[in-house]
Amino acid sequence: MRICVFLGSSGGIKPSYGEAAFGFGALLAKRGIGLVYGGGSIGLMGLVADGARAGGGEVIGVIPEALRAREQDHSDLTELHVTRTMHERKALMAEMSDGFVALPGGIGTFEELFEVWTWSQLGYHAKPCALLNINGFYDAMRTFIDHVVAEGFLRPAHRDMLQVHEDPDVLLSAMFPNHPEAQLPWIGRADL
Ligand code: AMP
């Protein structure tokens, strides 16, 4: 199983963002879940890859040729795919992944998240989408999305296609209820 992670090419002002990105990468590795991400070594993007590699996990980077210098390819990836365009990058990332998680980031992160969320609204895929709401970063976006529902531009069922969780273990368990590797360690264990 592989999860595609969207997150900032910047690190944010609080060290806790970086720690959470590194920790999420390490958690994926611990569960034997592969990481698919943008392939860079900068900001939170670099840290999620560092965390997964530190845990011995699979890390697949996908980067458009034109961004290689700016986002600085990570030097320790299992695979690096270089695409011609940004559209090819996003399509390949989506194709190789079983679900999508956004951590804090800027407008690049939002664009990627909103694209996969709208694709699920349209029924183009049935892969789970989730926000890892570190430090309450996405609280203001959730309030706005509730406003969009209240004003009649988004159905509650489509809003709920984007899960929001504060705890990375709970997030993985909720996204993939039928995958043993995504479950909390104590769920389904006969010896406990
Ligand atoms: P940001 O959240 O703005 O730091 O960007 C995070 C990632 O999103 C980086 O890998 C960017 O290359 C990528 N990105 C930026 N703009 C776009 C865009 N218009 N479409 C898709 N991805 C983008």
Side-chain angles (χ1 to χ4, degrees), residues 23-149:
F24 191 61
L27 178 66
L28 294 179
K30 194 166 131 199
R31 298 287 174 83
I33 299 170
L35 166 68
V36 176
Y37 86 115
S41 62
I42 55 174
L44 298 188
M45 293 173 68
L47 287 167
V48 74
D50 291 346
R53 291 303 288 147
E58 177 191 56
V59 181
I60 300 176
V62 186
I63 195 162
E65 182 63 55
L67 287 185
R68 290 187 75 180
R70 191 192 306 176
E71 295 189 355
Q72 299 167 33
D73 306 354
H74 199 286
S75 58
D76 182 29
L77 302 176
T78 320
E79 286 173 29
L80 179 68
H81 298 264
V82 179
T83 62
R84 219 167 38 83
T85 66
M86 184 64 95
H87 286 113
E88 285 171 11
R89 174 203 232 181
K90 293 191 292 180
L92 186 59
M93 289 170 86
E95 205 175 288
M96 285 194 295
S97 306
D98 300 291
F100 308 95
V101 177
L103 271 64
I107 56 176
T109 301
F110 303 157
E111 197 274 345
E112 293 168 316
L113 168 74
F114 275 83
E115 182 175 72
V116 294
W117 185 15
T118 55
W119 285 355
S120 80
Q121 173 181 249
L122 296 170
Y124 285 12
H125 69 77
K127 299 176 183 181
C129 301
L131 287 180
L132 182 56
N133 192 21
I134 297 161
N135 291 341
F137 178 79
Y138 282 112
D139 288 352
M141 183 187 285
R142 291 178 80 181
T143 301
F144 178 68
I145 296 298
D146 287 340
H147 171 70
V148 178
V149 172

